[in-house]
Amino acid sequence: MENKDLIIIALIVAIIYLYYQNRKKTLLYSSSDPEKAQEISETIANLKEENEDLIADKDAAIRSKNETEAESLSLGNKLKLKNQEVTRKDTEITRLKKEKSDSEIALNKKLTELKKKYSEQGKLLDTEQLECKKLEEKVENLETKIIALETERTNLLTEISKHDDLDKFQS
């Protein structure tokens, strides 16, 4: 864009220079040669038209340049906003990953504690069940002994009552 502007400016300067040169020649030829004066006038008119066209092209180029700069600035701002959004989302992702990691660590710790607790409770239950079986066996043995003793007592009472009957009979 800058090269184009420089070219346009150089052409304008050249046109202005030629205009003034032709004007000097016109003044010189106007008095001596009317055909030459006419030709110079036409050349000047053509140069004026070309100058106006070049000025219009220059203005159009400047407008185009300004529009392009504005669009570039707009795109730059959009890019900055997108970068900020990406950075914010990246930070949020990092935070969420950390929260998830912390949560998993806490859950694993709690799970380990619960496993240990239930393992200990399982051991206690096994111990209690063994003791219960032992006590049930003891109760069974004692009940067997009680039955045996009751049977023996009954037998003894029967014998004693027989002896009492004999003692009463003897007396």
Side-chain angles (χ1 to χ4, degrees):
M1 285 295 197
E2 292 177 15
N3 290 338
K4 190 175 182 180
D5 291 341
L6 289 175
I7 291 170
I8 292 171
I9 291 171
L11 286 173
I12 292 171
V13 169
I15 291 170
I16 292 171
Y17 174 76
L18 289 174
Y19 171 75
Y20 283 113
Q21 288 298 321
N22 282 331
R23 189 170 173 203
K24 284 181 186 177
K25 287 180 183 179
T26 306
L27 291 175
L28 292 175
Y29 291 118
S30 63
S31 58
S32 62
D33 189 8
E35 277 183 34
K36 232 3 170 174
Q38 178 65 29
E39 189 179 315
I40 291 172
S41 294
E42 288 175 7
T43 305
I44 291 173
N46 288 339
L47 287 174
K48 283 182 181 179
E49 284 180 28
E50 287 180 25
N51 186 29
E52 288 174 5
D53 289 344
L54 289 173
I55 289 172
D57 287 346
K58 176 188 166 200
D59 290 343
I62 290 172
R63 276 193 302 278
S64 175
K65 176 187 166 201
N66 290 340
E67 288 171 2
T68 304
E69 286 176 349
E71 186 177 343
S72 174
L73 184 63
S74 172
L75 290 174
N77 289 337
K78 285 181 182 179
L79 181 61
K80 284 180 186 176
L81 290 174
K82 284 292 181 185
N83 281 338
Q84 288 173 352
E85 184 179 348
V86 166
T87 302
R88 184 184 54 78
K89 286 183 178 182
D90 196 30
T91 304
E92 183 69 14
I93 287 170
T94 304
R95 184 187 64 78
L96 290 172
K97 282 181 180 179
K98 186 178 182 325
E99 282 181 12
K100 180 182 177 240
S101 176
D102 291 347
S103 174
E104 285 178 351
I105 290 170
L107 287 173
N108 285 336
K109 184 177 178 183
K110 187 165 186 158
L111 183 63
T112 304
E113 289 174 1
L114 289 173
K115 282 181 181 178
K116 184 178 176 183
K117 178 181 174 183
Y118 290 125
S119 174
E120 290 173 1
Q121 286 180 349
K123 287 178 185 176
L124 287 174
L125 182 62
D126 289 345
T127 305
E128 287 177 3
Q129 285 176 345
L130 284 174
E131 287 179 16
C132 183
K133 282 185 181 179
K134 287 179 184 177
L135 288 174
E136 285 174 355
E137 287 176 9
K138 273 187 177 182
V139 166
E140 206 175 288
N141 287 339
L142 288 174
E143 284 177 349
T144 306
K145 283 184 181 179
I146 288 173
I147 291 172
L149 287 174
E150 283 181 357
T151 306
E152 189 179 328
R153 180 178 156 253
T154 309
N155 288 340
L156 285 175
L157 283 175
T158 308
E159 263 185 55
I160 289 177
S161 30
K162 283 183 189 176
H163 285 290
D164 278 344
D165 286 340
L166 280 176
D167 284 340
K168 281 185 188 178
F169 183 68
Q170 287 180 349
S171 12

